[in-house]
Amino acid sequence: MDQFDLLRLYVDIAEQGSLAAVARVRGLSPSTVTLGLQTLEARVGVSLVRRSTRRLAFTPEGERFLTDCRRILDDLAEALENLSDKGELQGVIRITATNDFGRNRLAPLIDAFMRSHPGIAIELMLTDAVKDLLEDRYDLAIRMGQLADSQLTARLLMRGRRYVCASPDYWAQYGRPDHPRELMQHNCMVLARPGAPQANWVFREKNHEFTVKVSGDRLANDGGTLRNWAVAGAGVVLKSSCDVEDDIAAGRLEAVLDAFSMTETNVYAVYPHGRRLARRVTALIDYLGTHLASAGPGTVSL
C-alpha cells in the first residue's frame, strides 16, 4: 500500500470500528489490514490504536492523526475534482439542517439537484441542535437566524422573519394578544435545545428590543412537531416564515403581533471559514440560492 492507501485504511478502521469489519468491507484478509496498520504506526513512530479482544480504541495521538488523515484525504479529493470545471459532479455531500426546514423545503430541492447530478450522494442530518461542522465533518449546514461563529462563513440563501402564530380555533377560544406581554397568559409551545429551551421570545417596540418569557404545557426538540401541534389548535408557536408561510396562506395558522417586528430568520448556507469548497458543494449552494429566492450572491464572515 502507498501512503494514501494507508491513510484511507486508517480512516476506514475508524469508520468501521474494527479491523475485521474493514477486512470484510474491503475484501481483504484480516492479516493484511493488521499489517497495514502496523506499517502506518511504524512510519509515524507512535501507537495509534489500542487493540484488545473486546474493543478497539484510539490513542490521543491516534485521534489527532485521524483528524489530519481525514483533512488530507478530503483535500486530495477536492483537489482532484477541482482540476477541471467540466465533467459530471461526483462524490458525497454531508449536510445538516433543522428538522422542519429540512423536511419541507430542503429535501425536495436535494431530490431535484440529485436528479440533475446522478453522481452525487447526500448524507443529510436533520436536527434542531447546532452541530459542530468541523468535529462532525459536515461539508455544509443550512441555518437560520443570528449567526455568530467566527470560524464559519455564511452565504445568504433566503430572507425570512419569525411569526407568532396559532390556529384560528385557538385564537377564537383564547383571544388574540394585542401586545407581546399578553403571551404570558397563553399556552406557548417551546423549542427545546440541549440545556437551553427557547422560552425567551424577542420583540421590538419603538426601536427598543425586549424579551417575553413564555411557558406552556408542551416542549419539543423538533420544530415540525411544534408546528403540527399549533395547526391542531394546541397552542402558540414562534416559527420562521419559511416553515409556516404555507400554513398561513392556507388559513391553518394565523399570525399575530406583526407590528412588533420579530427578529429576522434569514436562511444561510454555512461552512468552515477558509475551507476550499469542493465543486459539488459550491454547485449545491448555487442551486439552493437560486431556488430559495436568494437575496443575492456573496458571503459574509461571521
Side-chain angles (χ1 to χ4, degrees):
M1 297 184 185
D2 64 22
Q3 290 191 23
F4 284 115
D5 287 333
L6 290 174
L7 297 187
R8 292 187 184 96
L9 179 72
Y10 186 60
V11 172
D12 283 349
I13 292 170
E15 300 290 345
Q16 298 297 327
S18 74
L19 305 187
V22 174
R24 288 194 300 270
V25 170
R26 284 190 164 218
L28 301 173
S29 67
S31 61
T32 299
V33 176
T34 299
L35 178 60
L37 178 58
Q38 290 172 344
T39 301
L40 186 59
E41 287 180 322
R43 290 188 181 181
V44 299
V46 296
S47 175
L48 300 172
V49 177
R50 297 190 185 98
R51 297 177 288 282
S52 71
T53 57
R54 298 187 61 183
R55 67 187 188 92
L56 176 151
F58 289 87
T59 65
E61 294 82 5
E63 291 282 2
R64 292 195 296 270
F65 187 61
L66 178 60
T67 299
D68 290 338
C69 287
R70 284 171 166 159
R71 174 181 51 78
I72 291 168
L73 293 174
D74 287 345
D75 287 346
L76 174 62
E78 291 173 12
L80 293 174
E81 183 185 22
N82 290 331
L83 280 174
S84 173
D85 59 0
K86 300 178 181 179
E88 293 293 327
L89 298 176
Q90 295 187 7
V92 178
I93 305 176
R94 301 190 74 242
I95 313 168
T96 179
T98 58
N99 287 295
D100 218 7
F101 183 83
R103 291 191 194 100
N104 298 321
R105 303 296 292 270
L106 183 60
L109 291 175
I110 287 176
D111 285 341
F113 181 78
M114 294 179 71
R115 285 195 293 271
S116 299
H117 304 286
I120 292 295
I122 296 291
E123 295 180 8
L124 177 62
M125 169 63 73
L126 298 183
T127 174
D128 287 325
V130 177
K131 305 295 288 185
D132 188 312
L133 300 191
L134 294 173
E135 181 177 341
D136 296 319
R137 299 177 55 239
Y138 286 104
D139 297 300
L140 182 66
I142 307 301
R143 292 183 179 168
M144 301 179 190
Q146 298 296 318
L147 302 172
D149 193 332
S150 61
Q151 298 183 53
L152 302 177
T153 295
R155 171 175 164 178
L156 177 64
L157 298 178
M158 179 182 182
R159 292 194 179 276
R161 54 171 294 184
R162 282 196 172 96
Y163 287 113
V164 172
C165 50
S167 71
D169 287 344
Y170 178 92
W171 293 134
Q173 182 174 357
Y174 297 103
R176 291 167 175 78
D178 294 317
H179 191 277
R181 291 189 178 88
E182 295 176 27
L183 290 172
M184 291 186 288
Q185 309 305 318
H186 283 267
N187 189 45
C188 296
M189 301 180 293
V190 174
L191 179 66
R193 285 183 172 168
Q198 295 186 326
N200 291 312
W201 293 2
V202 180
F203 298 91
R204 185 174 291 107
E205 184 177 23
K206 297 179 180 179
N207 296 321
H208 171 67
E209 190 174 278
F210 63 99
T211 63
V212 175
K213 187 171 183 178
V214 301
S215 63
D217 62 5
R218 303 190 189 208
L219 179 148
N221 66 348
D222 177 79
T225 298
L226 295 178
R227 179 176 56 83
N228 291 337
W229 280 338
V231 170
V236 183
V237 290
L238 179 64
K239 291 289 292 177
S240 171
S241 55
C242 60
D243 290 335
V244 296
E245 59 186 7
D246 291 342
D247 294 312
I248 291 174
R252 293 185 291 268
L253 293 175
E254 291 182 358
V256 298
L257 303 173
D258 289 351
F260 293 88
S261 302
M262 305 302 130
T263 54
E264 288 187 341
T265 54
N266 297 334
V267 180
Y268 297 90
V270 179
Y271 49 90
H273 182 65
R275 173 178 289 182
R276 181 178 59 183
L277 292 180
R279 188 164 60 96
R280 62 185 179 275
V281 179
T282 300
L284 177 59
I285 293 173
D286 290 342
Y287 183 87
L288 296 177
T290 298
H291 290 81
L292 289 172
S294 172
T299 60
V300 55
S301 294
L302 304 179

